Amino acid sequence: MRPIDYSLYLVTGRNLLPPDKDFLASLEESIQGGVSVVQLREKDLDTQEFVRLATQSKSVCDKYNIPLLVNDRVDVALAVGAHGVHLGQSDMSVEQARKLLPSGSIIGLSCNTVDHVRDAVLKKVDYIGIGAVWGTLTKKLTSPVIGVRGVGAMLAELDGTDIKSVAIGGIKSTNLMRTLHGSISPSNHALDGVAVVSDIMASPEPQSAARKLKTTFSQFQESCSRHPLGLNDATVKTDLGLLTSESIMDGVTQLMTEIRKANPLVHQITNTVVGTQSANVTLAIGASPIMATEPREMEDLSRICGALLVNIGTMRAENLEGMLMAGAFANSFRKPVVFDPVGVGASAFRKASVKSLLDTWQASVIKGNAGELAALAGTTEVESKGVDSVGSGFKDPKNFVRNFAKRERCVVVLTGAVDYVSDGVSVVALHNGDEILGRFTGSGCILGSIIASYCATASQVAQADPNLDKGGIFRGDMFTAAVAGILVLTIAAEISVKTDDVKGPGTFLPALIDTLWNLTPEQVRELSRITVN
């Protein structure tokens, strides 16, 4: 039997069809749009009617050489000569189905836990359906929603096997890239496909709907072929010895020049303590801030903004909805999302809120101090007190940021006396700065604003150049943007603290804003102290 392409797996649901839309016509159009496997799922038909529909469906699938699988019903699959079956955990056992089906038939199994996957490996099924990844209205769920970030542990169990994987549950074009990007094991074991129901079946134009999904899947595969984490940057050149401090600084100085031309709009959902100074530093470096929290604005703002910053410093329950919506819309429009989990370890409420946010949308950059990132990573190596770290930090910060970036599949910024940035492949250490940055409220928060501003610039640069916009969940070189943000702030701090007007933290902030306004790319290149690892 030829290898099965599981990339776009259609699960049927005739109850979702638009008025006057014929099921078989919809099925054929969806296949023409890129559907590669079809599962006929009909829970309410009697056997005779099910066989009739399965026979008609197989005729359509055979026309395009597309495998037809039948949900649950081995008898129906046998009656029409289907390519195989998909079984739930409470359906006929895999062993019984294998005895009844012809040799070479495909058997898939629904899995909701790691133990389910281990059992599927022992039973040597052909593929597993992992779900539900998102909440869904097309099926009453009997098991908890896994969430995108829960898929990786299940995929890890398939390492070293030939078993394929398909995610299912609430997947649609608007969250598909997030689903694919986040559903990867630590060893970079990715999904082989996604199962879609309503986004195709409920569409009056199923061919177009399927084509959109298929295109997104192809873009994801292309992005992963260039970078292990599917990121749009050049740090993989490290392996070739091409990533150097000089090459990074070339990118930093380009962004510093471009931001003044582009004047990107940066949407900032930030804490109430630092709103004014965050807006002022955004203006000083050449970007434009908009500080908005109303959920009803989030889709419109995501369309026009260059990047989103989410900072939970003064987190309130009523702000969570806006944060969730803003990040989801930013992902759907491929806009960068910079996440600052301020004081995440301080309370159960913050931890739960952050989990909800990161389960809903994909951050492009996560920035935090050692205590915050340790809490986010679930390690007790570094403790925190409120928004501050306690102790000397990580014993091996380079490997921590690299591994955490791999886990969260984004650029990670670890702030401290030495700042570290990683994309899961490379790590750079940045040695600029002055201790006065830690002596006034919100220095870390304004860093988030600056990083978001350069991420917006990098995204606009990529969008304007087809050679740079190569697909993936967001546009632009987030790695260089994060480095640029850190260097601009820390070098400006070094310059500002030496001016005659600065007598302490109170006079430092105005001087810092003035320095950011006047800072040149040449100064940053000359004063930067960067180590590439």
Side-chain angles (χ1 to χ4, degrees):
M1 179 183 292
R2 64 183 178 86
I4 303 299
D5 175 8
Y6 289 96
S7 58
L8 186 52
Y9 182 125
L10 174 64
V11 180
T12 66
R14 290 185 305 155
N15 60 308
L16 298 170
L17 289 168
D20 302 322
K21 188 70 176 180
D22 176 71
F23 170 72
L24 294 176
S26 176
L27 176 62
E28 183 161 15
E29 289 171 35
S30 69
I31 292 172
Q32 291 170 342
V35 163
S36 56
V37 179
V38 174
Q39 179 194 135
L40 190 63
R41 186 170 71 184
E42 296 293 339
K43 297 289 188 179
D44 301 322
L45 287 181
D46 60 37
T47 299
Q48 185 175 10
E49 183 64 18
F50 198 168
V51 169
R52 185 188 67 80
L53 183 66
T55 301
Q56 294 173 330
S57 300
K58 186 172 186 297
S59 177
V60 173
C61 290
D62 285 349
K63 179 179 177 181
Y64 296 92
N65 201 24
I66 297 296
L68 175 70
L69 309 179
V70 176
N71 180 263
D72 294 354
R73 299 287 299 271
V74 175
D75 58 334
V76 175
L78 285 167
V80 303
H83 290 78
V85 295
H86 181 86
L87 303 173
Q89 289 291 320
S90 60
D91 295 331
M92 178 185 291
S93 72
V94 172
E95 293 84 359
Q96 290 172 319
R98 186 169 284 123
K99 289 178 181 177
L100 294 171
L101 291 166
S103 175
S105 295
I106 300 167
I107 299 179
L109 184 65
S110 294
C111 294
N112 183 257
T113 67
V114 169
D115 285 340
H116 286 168
V117 180
R118 290 171 180 161
D119 182 57
V121 171
L122 292 175
K123 292 175 178 176
K124 299 181 179 179
V125 300
D126 295 282
Y127 76 92
I128 59 171
I130 300 175
V133 176
W134 303 91
T136 175
L137 298 176
T138 62
K139 183 180 180 182
K140 185 177 180 180
L141 299 180
T142 57
S143 300
V145 172
I146 296 168
V148 172
R149 295 162 77 229
V151 175
M154 300 171 74
L155 290 174
E157 297 297 324
L158 300 182
D159 288 346
T161 76
D162 295 326
I163 298 173
K164 305 301 181 181
S165 59
V166 175
I168 188 170
I171 297 171
K172 47 192 175 183
S173 61
T174 53
N175 65 22
L176 176 55
M177 186 61 81
R178 164 67 176 130
T179 302
L180 294 168
H181 185 89
S183 299
I184 294 186
S185 76
S187 62
N188 280 323
H189 193 134
L191 289 165
D192 296 290
V194 290
V196 178
V197 190
S198 61
D199 214 40
I200 295 176
M201 293 301 303
S203 174
E205 298 180 349
Q207 182 175 353
S208 177
R211 184 179 296 115
K212 186 175 182 180
L213 291 159
K214 191 79 166 187
T215 298
T216 299
F217 194 92
S218 298
Q219 289 173 338
F220 165 74
Q221 289 183 313
E222 182 184 351
S223 68
C224 286
S225 70
R226 297 189 309 272
H227 188 286
L229 271 63
L231 302 181
N232 263 336
D233 63 31
T235 59
V236 287
K237 292 180 180 179
T238 301
D239 295 337
L240 303 176
L242 299 178
L243 184 71
T244 63
S245 58
E246 289 78 12
S247 66
I248 293 174
M249 290 310 303
D250 287 342
V252 168
T253 55
Q254 180 192 13
L255 289 178
M256 289 184 67
T257 300
E258 291 295 332
I259 197 170
R260 303 283 180 179
K261 300 176 184 177
N263 185 227
L265 185 63
V266 182
H267 179 196
Q268 303 183 42
I269 304 178
T270 191
N271 73 74
T272 56
V273 176
V274 301
T276 300
Q277 61 203 52
S278 293
N280 284 336
V281 299
T282 303
L283 289 166
I285 63 172
S288 180
I290 182 167
M291 324 304 263
T293 59
E294 171 54 52
R296 288 173 293 184
E297 290 189 292
M298 295 306 149
E299 182 172 8
D300 290 338
L301 291 179
S302 295
R303 291 180 187 276
I304 63 174
C305 288
L308 168 69
L309 168 68
V310 176
N311 175 311
I312 67 163
T314 49
M315 185 74 191
R316 295 181 63 84
E318 57 263 33
N319 292 337
L320 184 59
E321 181 185 1
M323 292 178 174
L324 290 167
M325 293 178 66
F329 282 123
N331 278 181
S332 68
F333 296 126
R334 298 181 64 208
K335 304 293 180 68
V337 181
V338 177
F339 183 50
D340 194 344
V342 178
V344 61
S347 69
F349 169 68
R350 287 179 187 248
K351 291 177 183 177
S353 297
V354 167
K355 182 180 185 303
S356 180
L357 292 170
L358 293 180
D359 281 344
T360 301
W361 41 253
Q362 175 66 52
S364 34
V365 178
I366 296 177
K367 178 207 77 71
N369 61 34
E372 291 161 347
L373 295 190
L376 206 56
T379 175
T380 58
E381 183 180 353
V382 180
E383 297 182 354
S384 60
K385 181 179 68 175
V387 300
D388 299 319
S389 297
V390 177
S392 57
F394 294 104
K395 294 179 182 178
D396 188 353
K398 296 174 186 176
N399 273 329
F400 171 80
V401 293
R402 181 184 284 114
N403 291 332
F404 191 50
K406 287 179 182 178
R407 195 189 88 171
E408 294 299 331
R409 297 189 58 74
C410 67
V411 172
V412 169
V413 173
L414 170 62
T415 60
V418 177
D419 300 306
Y420 295 90
V421 182
S422 180
D423 67 336
V425 179
S426 303
V427 181
V428 297
L430 306 171
H431 304 270
N432 292 95
D434 189 276
E435 64 176 358
I436 199 170
L437 282 171
R439 302 298 181 183
F440 71 93
T441 299
S443 60
C445 298
I446 64 174
L447 174 59
S449 297
I450 296 173
I451 289 175
S453 300
Y454 284 112
C455 286
T457 306
S459 181
Q460 289 186 208
V461 168
Q463 189 172 2
D465 186 346
N467 293 321
L468 297 177
D469 184 13
K470 299 178 180 178
I473 193 165
F474 32 73
R475 300 179 178 92
D477 182 352
M478 301 295 105
F479 180 86
T480 302
V483 173
I486 295 169
L487 288 178
V488 164
L489 177 60
T490 54
I491 290 173
E494 292 176 353
I495 295 172
S496 300
V497 77
K498 296 175 183 177
T499 60
D500 294 338
D501 293 337
V502 174
K503 309 300 182 184
T507 50
F508 172 74
L509 183 57
L512 177 65
I513 293 173
D514 287 344
T515 303
L516 288 170
W517 176 262
N518 292 297
L519 192 66
T520 67
E522 291 74 24
Q523 286 176 298
V524 172
R525 185 185 289 274
E526 179 184 354
L527 297 175
S528 65
R529 300 193 299 276
I530 179 172
T531 305
V532 179
N533 298 280

